[in-house]
Amino acid sequence: MSQPVHLVILITTRPGRGGDQIAAFERLAPIVRAEPGCLRYDLHQVTGEPDRFVLVERWSSEAALAAHDVTPHMTEADAASPAFRAGPAEVIRLDAAPLA
Amino acid sequence: MSQPVHLVILITTRPGRGGDQIAAFERLAPIVRAEPGCLRYDLHQVTGEPDRFVLVERWSSEAALAAHDVTPHMTEADAASPAFRAGPAEVIRLDAAPLA
């Protein structure tokens, strides 16, 4: 049986562009959350740092994540985000089951 | 009413010392999870990187986190961890409520 996939993604926007990240997420979130296998898709603001965010994703399987990555809305979002992001997001993939 | 506190903590051990981090966490986790106000205290391995971890903490309030930070078991753990960690953990504090 396939394992869930857990991602923690660190995002930094260009100075003063955090609002663009939030707006993009607000458009995207309901679409992504409706995708098959999406268990969690939450963007958190880093406290007191308006240009830093952590996106937490959880998918039911590798296949669900792979399908998500090539959806038209993600292709479009990936093309748009460099305009307001300071650099590529840092994607940290975690073993889904916590230790201990 | 006080807000919950949500932390994502990036940990890197010295090369080959990931096992020490896991052992330390296994000793600490049941004690921390029993502290007042501890809502989550989970260590995840970064997939395929035996020396990298992400600790996810959620506390009911700032006061609960502040009390946790000065417990004898945390003081002891903080003194022991530099022996096996590559550097200080990177603590990212998140606004507890996700955006959108």
Side-chain angles (χ1 to χ4, degrees), chain A residues 7-96:
Chain A
L7 304 176
V8 169
I9 301 174
L10 311 183
I11 294 168
T12 304
T13 66
R14 299 176 192 270
R17 301 294 295 273
D20 295 78
Q21 175 59 57
I22 294 171
F25 181 77
E26 286 175 342
R27 284 191 300 272
L28 209 53
I31 303 168
V32 173
R33 289 175 181 146
E35 286 181 49
C38 180
L39 304 178
R40 185 171 172 195
Y41 194 74
D42 286 336
L43 186 70
H44 292 264
Q45 182 90 57
V46 175
T47 301
E49 300 195 44
D51 298 324
R52 289 184 68 206
F53 302 86
V54 176
L55 178 62
V56 180
E57 301 189 20
R58 192 178 278 265
W59 295 86
S60 61
S61 68
E62 286 288 347
L65 175 59
H68 160 71
D69 280 339
V70 296
T71 53
H73 52 274
M74 285 313 300
T75 305
E76 189 184 335
D78 290 343
S81 61
F84 56 81
R85 287 196 183 155
E90 183 186 349
V91 179
I92 304 173
R93 180 182 289 241
L94 304 180
D95 289 356

Side-chain angles (χ1 to χ4, degrees), chain B residues 51-66:
Chain B
D51 298 325
R52 289 184 68 205
F53 302 86
V54 175
L55 177 62
V56 180
E57 301 189 20
R58 193 179 277 264
W59 294 87
S60 62
S61 67
E62 285 289 345
L65 175 59

Side-chain angles (χ1 to χ4, degrees), chain B residues 8-29:
Chain B
V8 168
I9 300 174
L10 311 183
I11 294 169
T12 304
T13 66
R14 300 177 192 270
R17 301 294 295 273
D20 296 77
Q21 175 59 57
I22 295 171
F25 181 77
E26 286 174 342
R27 284 192 300 273
L28 207 54

Side-chain angles (χ1 to χ4, degrees), chain B residues 2-5 35-37 59-70 93:
Chain B
S2 72
Q3 292 275 71
V5 181
E35 287 182 49
W59 294 87
S60 62
S61 67
E62 285 289 345
L65 175 59
H68 160 70
D69 280 339
V70 297
R93 180 182 289 241

